Amino acid sequence: MADGYGLTLMSFATPPHTEVRPGARDGDEALRPSATLTASAITKTWGKSGSPVLHGVDLEVSTGACVWVGGRNGAGKTTLLRIIAGLIRPDSGTISLSGLDPDRDRQAFQRRMGFLSGGNTGLYARLSGRQHLDYWSRLAMMRGPERKPAIDRAVSDFGLSEFASRRVDRLSLGQRQRVRLAMAFLHEPDLVLLDEPSTSLDDDGMALLTGTLSRHRERGGMTVWCSPSPDQEGLAFDGKHEIRDARLQPA
């Protein structure tokens, strides 16, 4: 049970990769410079209507790129993110993350990815922010000596110091969102999927997110950012796409 918040966790069972990338901070484990995400001809239909939510969707994200995916409510943004994350299977089409397949290479695939789901999910009410980060670091199979520095870095990156030891049910919505974002970036994945990440964030929280995202991109990390409008975020995206009539089209 997730004490009212819900929790979507991925299971990792392979140790993190150790290729060092130029510009990585001392002691950091880095991502592969050649990391790429490719989604090809993704189709998904829900229910009995026969009308696809996604039809023939193609998306490619290269090293260091941040792309925006938009669309009206119910257009299929979250469905696309969950398919890319390997949490649901498409009816047809393929996903590749640096040559890894979400079914064939499930553990290694998910180890290289961070996922922020939409809404106020992914937290246990009775755990503190720091306990969540520690739990996530273990799920991500981070080695013992790496866990504390990574957690301390995440606490600093998202300004959690003043409330990291509080139970999350005693935090504001914006503070909970910072904890969820810290979890998504904690293990420095190749790819971060963000479903409306600015929800409930104040100006300070947004500044912390954009700073972390900038460092993620400098390390070669890729990002897919889903939100209603690209203009509200104040970010420079490398590509803008919108789901219309089940197809991904240039915005």
Side-chain angles (χ1 to χ4, degrees):
M1 296 293 292
D3 283 339
Y5 292 122
L7 186 62
T8 300
L9 294 177
M10 304 172 201
S11 176
F12 303 103
T14 53
H17 48 278
T18 57
E19 300 92 325
V20 176
R21 186 177 54 253
R25 287 175 285 191
D26 290 343
D28 286 354
E29 287 193 337
L31 310 181
R32 294 181 176 180
S34 59
T36 56
L37 166 70
T38 304
S40 300
I42 300 298
T43 296
K44 184 66 179 180
T45 300
W46 293 116
K48 300 179 181 180
S49 66
S51 298
V53 175
L54 301 172
H55 183 73
V57 168
D58 296 321
L59 177 66
E60 184 166 326
V61 185
S62 59
T63 300
C66 178
V67 302
W68 174 80
V69 175
R72 60 174 176 78
N73 290 340
K77 301 186 299 295
T78 297
T79 296
L80 177 59
L81 286 189
R82 292 177 68 83
I83 288 173
I84 292 172
L87 298 177
I88 59 177
R89 291 182 177 178
D91 297 336
S92 61
T94 60
I95 300 291
S96 174
L97 176 58
S98 302
L100 298 173
D101 178 272
D103 289 327
R104 185 185 65 243
D105 312 301
R106 185 171 182 79
Q107 294 166 345
F109 183 94
Q110 291 185 338
R111 172 60 188 86
R112 293 177 180 233
M113 182 182 55
F115 182 44
L116 176 81
S117 59
N120 187 34
T121 62
L123 300 176
Y124 282 105
R126 293 184 176 90
L127 294 183
S128 70
R130 188 174 286 276
Q131 286 172 324
H132 277 90
L133 293 170
D134 180 69
Y135 183 35
W136 189 255
S137 72
R138 295 170 190 271
L139 287 176
M141 294 297 291
M142 297 181 74
R143 290 188 288 269
E146 300 167 340
R147 290 201 296 266
K148 186 178 184 303
I151 292 169
D152 289 344
R153 182 173 61 239
V155 167
S156 175
D157 285 349
F158 285 96
L160 306 179
S161 299
E162 293 184 4
F163 53 85
S165 297
R166 296 182 203 165
R167 286 172 41 150
V168 298
D169 61 353
R170 297 172 182 171
L171 301 181
S172 70
L173 291 177
Q175 290 169 338
R176 294 175 197 170
Q177 186 74 341
R178 291 195 199 187
V179 171
R180 297 173 69 241
L181 286 163
M183 292 167 65
F185 284 93
L186 176 66
H187 57 297
E188 296 194 336
D190 287 20
L191 171 67
V192 177
L193 305 173
L194 301 174
D195 195 354
E196 301 198 19
S198 61
T199 299
S200 301
L201 292 181
D202 57 15
D203 290 344
D204 289 341
M206 190 65 192
L208 291 167
L209 170 56
T210 55
T212 299
L213 181 59
S214 177
R215 291 188 292 274
H216 171 69
R217 297 177 69 177
E218 288 171 359
R219 293 193 296 269
M222 301 169 290
T223 310
V224 179
W225 178 302
C226 285
S227 63
S229 170
D231 299 325
Q232 298 175 354
E233 317 302 346
L235 298 172
F237 294 103
D238 298 293
K240 297 180 183 179
H241 314 273
E242 190 170 7
I243 299 176
R244 297 192 296 269
D245 298 323
R247 297 181 182 275
L248 193 66
Q249 305 179 39

